[in-house]
Amino acid sequence: METKNNWRAWLYLAPMLILMAVFTFYPLFNAFIISFYKDYQPLLNQRAPGMTLDNYSIVVNNYFFKQALKNTFTLAFISVPISIVLSLFIAVALNSIPRLKAFFQTIFFLPYVTNGIAVGMAFAVIFHRNYGLFNQFLSWFGVAPVDWIGSTATWGKQMTALMIFTIWDSLAFKILVFASGLTNIDKQYYDAARIDSASKWTIFKRITVPLLSPLILYISITSMIGALKAYNSIIALFGESLGGRPRDMITIVAFVYQYRADYANIGFYSYAAAGAIILFMITLAFTGLQTIVSRKRVHY
Amino acid sequence: MAEVYVKNELSYKAKKTIFHILVYAFLILITISVLIPFYWMLLTSVKTQVMIEQVPPLLFLKPADWEINNYKLLFEVVQSGPRRGQPLFPFFTYMKNTILVSVITTVGTTITTILAAYAFARLRFKGSNLVFVILIATMMIPGEIFILTNFLTVYRLGWYDVFNQTYWDAVLAMTIPFMTSVFYMFYLRQTFKQIPNELYFAAKVDGTTDFQYLWKIMVPVAMPTIVTIIILNSMGAWNAYIWPNMIATRDEYRLVSNGLRGAFTDSSTGRTDFGQQMASAVLVTVPLLILFFVFRKQIMRGVSRSGIKG
Amino acid sequence: MEIKMANLTKIFISKDKKEVHAVDHVDLTIPSGKLIGLLGPSGCGKSTTLYLIAGLLRQNEGEIFFADEEVSEMPPEKRGIGLVFQNYALYPHMTVRDNILFPLQNMKVPKQEAMERTQEMAALVGLEEMLNRKPKELSGGQQQRVAIARALVKKPRVLLLDEPLSNLDARLRLQTREEIKRIQRETGITTVFVTHDQEEAMSISDEIVVMKDGVIQQMGHPQEVYDAPVNLFVAKFLGNPQINVFEGEIKKGKIIVLNMEIATTDKPDQKIIVGIRPEGFMVDETKKSAFKFEVNLVETIGRDTTLIIDTPSDDETLLDKHSFKVIVDASYRIMSGDLVHFKVKPDKMHLFDLDGELLK
């Protein structure tokens, strides 16, 4: 291929690079800077001279930030493993049936292509204390009505409802990806395993999961990062109040947006930036973890 | 011996049948769980307030009893509140905004993506690997970080003016920052790379320039991938919530997702009209589902590739 | 363990919705303790037959017996077979030890015994040093031996090998086929070996079975099949270089090829096809024989000389091609351009009717 087209290559890249310089690279850099500003007023572009770490200590000691960390991590560490295991089972089940595979796969994919807010509101109706479907369902097993998302709901109940919605919402993508990952596994391994008298469970445990492990790891990490950014699901289920009792279900992203929205208050924008940088660091740690684990464990 | 074999055979077949029944039962259970929210959304939207508040809840409703008043009310002009002078749920306004934003963003993204993917797939230049790696690395960064500064940038560009924001200010603010996608660029570059070099040399011999080659040969050959990118990208605007909420100063500039929440709660009583709320949810969900069923193959293929890439 | 197939039939539906009889009413008995080569060109149904024996495919018709037990409907894991796949199908994420242990764990063999048997198998195939390696750290030949060990460790009633040598390079292939023969001898297990390589099959098998279009053509000791093919297909399929095939005629007890008399016969007058093995020609130093040709090319390799001879006439006397090969002793010192007279060894010549069946 040609070698002397340096400037022409940059011309092709220019539209993307210029847009990204303005809306990706500069903001990334700027977020760090803002997080160290003193008494920043963003729209007026005024601030006290010098840099400070105070914003971070204020954020870290903020009650709502602690609540946000607790909520975010609880949500991520419970919903992600459950949805991964569940979607893996569903994908394997899909792969083992002789008929209707495409039909089931299409239905299972529906949550991915629907508006999260709209469906989240439907979940809110389902979780309604008095006339919700979920309490009705539980009553068939003799469970008394529970307030899941209302103003008297406990933290645990709200988290459970949020968890159910999050898992429901996130299954679609994982099922599709795992199902197509499964079809890429050489059928000979399954023939060999049958000849070796492996039971279905053994095949799942010792052939399918290990052979799929690079994909499982990749999906685990990306979903973990996705779950750490939870926000739309809280808006959908609880509205702008972020909880049955206001801010009960606040997440790191929600924290960032709350302080961003209050930009008129001196210094709040820097708190938002500090929160965003902390989130960035956490996701970076997970990405690093993926690199290390994938080097050590999953490759064969 | 023969008898032993017959027993074996029966138990084997029986086992297999039982296994299949269990698997289908499991899948049907999941199907029901997936469909219930959609069903409940639709059912609630055709219930009257009295039916909605009935305990225990009505699980079925004959089509004859469906109450379409909820839908009618959505389109009636209200006299008070933030949407004074507009319909209660300005669905067509939101749809128009959403489609406009979606089309502009998609056209922009497709163009920047094709040009950049071509440069990385076909042209050799100094620093190409470094730039490529840096771009890929940005996929790991949570978008929330960018929003803080982008809001200020949009403000400085004059697109966010609380008192004088025009419609096109809002549209620009909702589209320009989203006209790139590293992931789609990566995806398209892979497709471009699979196009054999011979095609390039043949075109050179025929006297085409690089630019002509890109549009006349690469793009048509990679069309299936580009179509997938266009479909997936245009669905993005339907789900955008945070950013349009942030930079649209007026209700009539917003997108469909923004219009859904909060609008059906009476601020004085705190009571939510679930029937109207669910009717609006149905209105927002149906176009997406239609789009999905029309382009089912492209969408599912595109999404499954995006998962496999790692 | 004797394997018996009766009326075995497998039908595939091709893309254009046609039925293809991959295995067509096959009756075959594989004697106990022998190594059998299932041989044929690609698409002849040999692999399908193997998969039917394994139970990975289900026949449309017919029965399969292992000794007296019918296994036709039995799932593969119950049949007690070991199968070596063409690509070995070693589990890439498991070590060699785990690969060999895997079937034993599934059969719930006690741990101690399983370890011992694994060790024993590794010794049999000469891989004791490699037990902790992963498949991708092994050469093709070593992977192949792991596959054999894995197939044998559960003491199967029958060992099935699907083109086990096709992924190895030429030198390794020779080595490995000796190895397979040795292992089969030592274990005495009934073994079916699928290959498209006639030389491989002939060198390793106790008996070979030649298949074509899902139908068994001939079965027997390799040399017997080679010496007495029942039809033209078998004659052509076995032997390298291939048998030379001429159009010919029987006239008054004389066999005529290219207007030359080559031998006599007691068969009635008719048009025939004459097959003569390359080694079936003798140089007639007396130059009396009427069967003579001008030699076009001479290739001498070691003790053999191959003569390549163009047929003198343009007509299609020689089926398929325009030249044929003759192998003679290198001591003759024949040069290209020489006119050579030949006699034909009667036991290296086979006469077929125009349908390719051996002349009765």
Side-chain angles (χ1 to χ4, degrees), chain B residues 82 86 94 97 160-167 170 174 244-245 247-255:
Chain B
Q86 280 193 83
Y94 289 152
N97 299 345
Y160 178 80
D161 179 336
V162 182
F163 303 107
N164 300 311
Q165 188 185 39
T166 67
Y167 183 63
M174 282 190 263
N245 212 22
I247 59 92
T249 59
R250 293 175 183 214
D251 192 66
E252 64 259 38
Y253 296 167
R254 297 190 173 175
L255 306 187

Short mmCIF file of all heavy atoms in Angstrom, two decimals, chain B residues 82 86 94 97 160-167 170 174 244-245 247-255:
data_model
loop_
_atom_site.label_atom_id
_atom_site.label_comp_id
_atom_site.label_asym_id
_atom_site.label_seq_id
_atom_site.Cartn_x
_atom_site.Cartn_y
_atom_site.Cartn_z
N PRO B 82 -46.01 23.19 33.32
CA PRO B 82 -44.90 23.49 32.40
C PRO B 82 -45.28 23.33 30.93
O PRO B 82 -44.61 23.85 30.07
CB PRO B 82 -43.83 22.46 32.81
CG PRO B 82 -44.56 21.38 33.53
CD PRO B 82 -45.75 22.03 34.17
N GLN B 86 -49.71 23.28 25.43
CA GLN B 86 -49.29 22.10 24.66
C GLN B 86 -50.17 20.92 25.06
O GLN B 86 -50.84 20.96 26.08
CB GLN B 86 -47.86 21.74 25.04
CG GLN B 86 -46.79 22.57 24.38
CD GLN B 86 -45.46 21.89 24.59
OE1 GLN B 86 -45.11 20.99 23.86
NE2 GLN B 86 -44.75 22.31 25.62
N TYR B 94 -42.15 15.67 20.62
CA TYR B 94 -40.99 14.89 21.06
C TYR B 94 -40.48 13.98 19.96
O TYR B 94 -39.29 13.83 19.75
CB TYR B 94 -41.36 14.04 22.28
CG TYR B 94 -41.58 14.84 23.54
CD1 TYR B 94 -42.44 14.38 24.53
CD2 TYR B 94 -40.91 16.03 23.76
CE1 TYR B 94 -42.64 15.09 25.70
CE2 TYR B 94 -41.10 16.75 24.93
CZ TYR B 94 -41.98 16.28 25.89
OH TYR B 94 -42.16 16.97 27.04
N ASN B 97 -38.57 16.00 17.44
CA ASN B 97 -37.25 16.33 17.99
C ASN B 97 -36.34 15.11 17.96
O ASN B 97 -35.19 15.18 17.55
CB ASN B 97 -37.35 16.81 19.43
CG ASN B 97 -38.17 18.07 19.56
OD1 ASN B 97 -38.44 18.73 18.56
ND2 ASN B 97 -38.58 18.39 20.78
N TYR B 160 -26.54 27.18 24.93
CA TYR B 160 -27.35 27.03 26.15
C TYR B 160 -27.53 28.39 26.77
O TYR B 160 -26.65 28.91 27.44
CB TYR B 160 -26.65 26.07 27.12
CG TYR B 160 -27.39 25.90 28.44
CD1 TYR B 160 -28.48 25.03 28.53
CD2 TYR B 160 -27.02 26.62 29.57
CE1 TYR B 160 -29.17 24.89 29.72
CE2 TYR B 160 -27.70 26.48 30.77
CZ TYR B 160 -28.78 25.61 30.83
OH TYR B 160 -29.46 25.46 32.01
N ASP B 161 -28.66 28.98 26.48
CA ASP B 161 -28.95 30.29 27.05
C ASP B 161 -30.33 30.16 27.66
O ASP B 161 -31.33 29.98 26.97
CB ASP B 161 -28.93 31.34 25.92
CG ASP B 161 -29.25 32.72 26.45
OD1 ASP B 161 -29.91 32.81 27.51
OD2 ASP B 161 -28.84 33.69 25.81
N VAL B 162 -30.39 30.24 28.98
CA VAL B 162 -31.62 29.90 29.68
C VAL B 162 -32.80 30.73 29.17
O VAL B 162 -33.92 30.26 29.13
CB VAL B 162 -31.45 30.11 31.20
CG1 VAL B 162 -32.71 29.71 31.93
CG2 VAL B 162 -30.26 29.32 31.69
N PHE B 163 -32.53 31.97 28.75
CA PHE B 163 -33.65 32.82 28.35
C PHE B 163 -33.88 32.85 26.86
O PHE B 163 -35.00 32.99 26.40
CB PHE B 163 -33.41 34.25 28.88
CG PHE B 163 -33.23 34.26 30.37
CD1 PHE B 163 -31.97 34.47 30.93
CD2 PHE B 163 -34.31 34.01 31.21
CE1 PHE B 163 -31.80 34.44 32.30
CE2 PHE B 163 -34.13 33.98 32.58
CZ PHE B 163 -32.87 34.19 33.13
N ASN B 164 -32.83 32.72 26.08
CA ASN B 164 -32.98 32.93 24.64
C ASN B 164 -32.58 31.73 23.79
O ASN B 164 -32.21 31.88 22.65
CB ASN B 164 -32.13 34.13 24.20
CG ASN B 164 -32.55 35.38 24.90
OD1 ASN B 164 -33.75 35.70 24.94
ND2 ASN B 164 -31.61 36.07 25.49
N GLN B 165 -32.60 30.53 24.36
CA GLN B 165 -32.19 29.38 23.56
C GLN B 165 -33.19 29.14 22.43
O GLN B 165 -34.39 29.04 22.67
CB GLN B 165 -32.11 28.12 24.44
CG GLN B 165 -31.50 26.94 23.70
CD GLN B 165 -31.55 25.69 24.55
OE1 GLN B 165 -32.52 25.44 25.25
NE2 GLN B 165 -30.48 24.90 24.48
N THR B 166 -32.68 29.07 21.21
CA THR B 166 -33.57 28.78 20.08
C THR B 166 -33.63 27.26 19.90
O THR B 166 -32.83 26.51 20.45
CB THR B 166 -33.06 29.40 18.78
OG1 THR B 166 -31.84 28.75 18.42
CG2 THR B 166 -32.85 30.89 18.93
N TYR B 167 -34.57 26.86 19.04
CA TYR B 167 -34.73 25.43 18.76
C TYR B 167 -33.45 24.85 18.19
O TYR B 167 -32.98 23.79 18.60
CB TYR B 167 -35.90 25.25 17.78
CG TYR B 167 -36.21 23.82 17.46
CD1 TYR B 167 -36.65 22.95 18.47
CD2 TYR B 167 -36.09 23.33 16.18
CE1 TYR B 167 -36.93 21.64 18.19
CE2 TYR B 167 -36.37 22.01 15.89
CZ TYR B 167 -36.79 21.16 16.90
OH TYR B 167 -37.09 19.86 16.62
N ALA B 170 -30.66 24.24 20.61
CA ALA B 170 -30.85 22.98 21.34
C ALA B 170 -30.47 21.78 20.48
O ALA B 170 -29.79 20.85 20.92
CB ALA B 170 -32.29 22.86 21.82
N MET B 174 -27.53 19.05 21.09
CA MET B 174 -27.84 17.63 21.29
C MET B 174 -27.17 16.74 20.25
O MET B 174 -27.17 15.53 20.39
CB MET B 174 -29.36 17.42 21.24
CG MET B 174 -30.05 17.84 22.53
SD MET B 174 -31.76 17.31 22.57
CE MET B 174 -32.59 18.79 22.06
N PRO B 244 -30.10 15.66 26.98
CA PRO B 244 -31.17 16.56 26.54
C PRO B 244 -31.89 17.23 27.71
O PRO B 244 -32.27 18.39 27.63
CB PRO B 244 -32.14 15.64 25.78
CG PRO B 244 -31.59 14.27 25.83
CD PRO B 244 -30.25 14.31 26.45
N ASN B 245 -32.00 16.52 28.80
CA ASN B 245 -32.64 17.08 29.98
C ASN B 245 -31.84 18.28 30.49
O ASN B 245 -32.38 19.25 31.00
CB ASN B 245 -32.70 16.01 31.06
CG ASN B 245 -33.93 16.16 31.92
OD1 ASN B 245 -34.91 16.77 31.49
ND2 ASN B 245 -33.87 15.62 33.12
N ILE B 247 -29.56 20.25 28.70
CA ILE B 247 -29.29 21.42 27.88
C ILE B 247 -30.54 21.99 27.19
O ILE B 247 -30.47 23.07 26.61
CB ILE B 247 -28.19 21.14 26.83
CG1 ILE B 247 -28.58 19.99 25.92
CG2 ILE B 247 -26.86 20.86 27.49
CD1 ILE B 247 -29.26 20.45 24.72
N ALA B 248 -31.68 21.27 27.23
CA ALA B 248 -32.88 21.84 26.64
C ALA B 248 -33.55 22.72 27.68
O ALA B 248 -33.92 22.25 28.75
CB ALA B 248 -33.82 20.74 26.17
N THR B 249 -33.68 24.01 27.39
CA THR B 249 -34.24 24.91 28.40
C THR B 249 -35.76 24.91 28.37
O THR B 249 -36.39 25.38 29.28
CB THR B 249 -33.76 26.34 28.16
OG1 THR B 249 -34.17 26.74 26.85
CG2 THR B 249 -32.24 26.42 28.29
N ARG B 250 -36.34 24.43 27.30
CA ARG B 250 -37.80 24.42 27.23
C ARG B 250 -38.30 23.02 27.01
O ARG B 250 -37.66 22.22 26.33
CB ARG B 250 -38.27 25.27 26.06
CG ARG B 250 -38.00 26.72 26.21
CD ARG B 250 -38.44 27.29 24.93
NE ARG B 250 -38.18 28.71 24.88
CZ ARG B 250 -39.00 29.53 24.23
NH1 ARG B 250 -40.08 29.04 23.64
NH2 ARG B 250 -38.72 30.80 24.17
N ASP B 251 -39.47 22.78 27.52
CA ASP B 251 -40.06 21.46 27.42
C ASP B 251 -40.20 21.02 25.97
O ASP B 251 -39.98 19.87 25.64
CB ASP B 251 -41.42 21.47 28.11
CG ASP B 251 -41.93 20.06 28.29
OD1 ASP B 251 -41.31 19.33 29.06
OD2 ASP B 251 -42.91 19.71 27.62
N GLU B 252 -40.54 21.96 25.09
CA GLU B 252 -40.80 21.52 23.70
C GLU B 252 -39.54 21.23 22.91
O GLU B 252 -39.60 20.87 21.75
CB GLU B 252 -41.70 22.53 22.97
CG GLU B 252 -41.10 23.90 22.78
CD GLU B 252 -41.64 24.89 23.81
OE1 GLU B 252 -41.83 24.48 24.98
OE2 GLU B 252 -41.86 26.06 23.46
N TYR B 253 -38.36 21.42 23.53
CA TYR B 253 -37.12 21.07 22.85
C TYR B 253 -36.67 19.64 23.20
O TYR B 253 -35.71 19.14 22.65
CB TYR B 253 -35.98 22.01 23.24
CG TYR B 253 -36.16 23.46 22.83
CD1 TYR B 253 -35.33 24.44 23.35
CD2 TYR B 253 -37.15 23.84 21.92
CE1 TYR B 253 -35.47 25.76 22.99
CE2 TYR B 253 -37.31 25.16 21.56
CZ TYR B 253 -36.47 26.13 22.10
OH TYR B 253 -36.62 27.44 21.75
N ARG B 254 -37.34 19.05 24.17
CA ARG B 254 -36.81 17.79 24.71
C ARG B 254 -37.10 16.58 23.84
O ARG B 254 -37.84 16.66 22.86
CB ARG B 254 -37.38 17.56 26.11
CG ARG B 254 -36.93 18.67 27.01
CD ARG B 254 -37.22 18.44 28.44
NE ARG B 254 -36.56 19.54 29.14
CZ ARG B 254 -36.64 19.77 30.44
NH1 ARG B 254 -37.36 18.96 31.18
NH2 ARG B 254 -36.02 20.77 30.97
N LEU B 255 -36.53 15.45 24.26
CA LEU B 255 -36.71 14.20 23.51
C LEU B 255 -37.68 13.29 24.26
O LEU B 255 -38.02 13.54 25.42
CB LEU B 255 -35.37 13.50 23.32
CG LEU B 255 -34.27 14.34 22.67
CD1 LEU B 255 -33.05 13.48 22.38
CD2 LEU B 255 -34.76 15.01 21.40
#
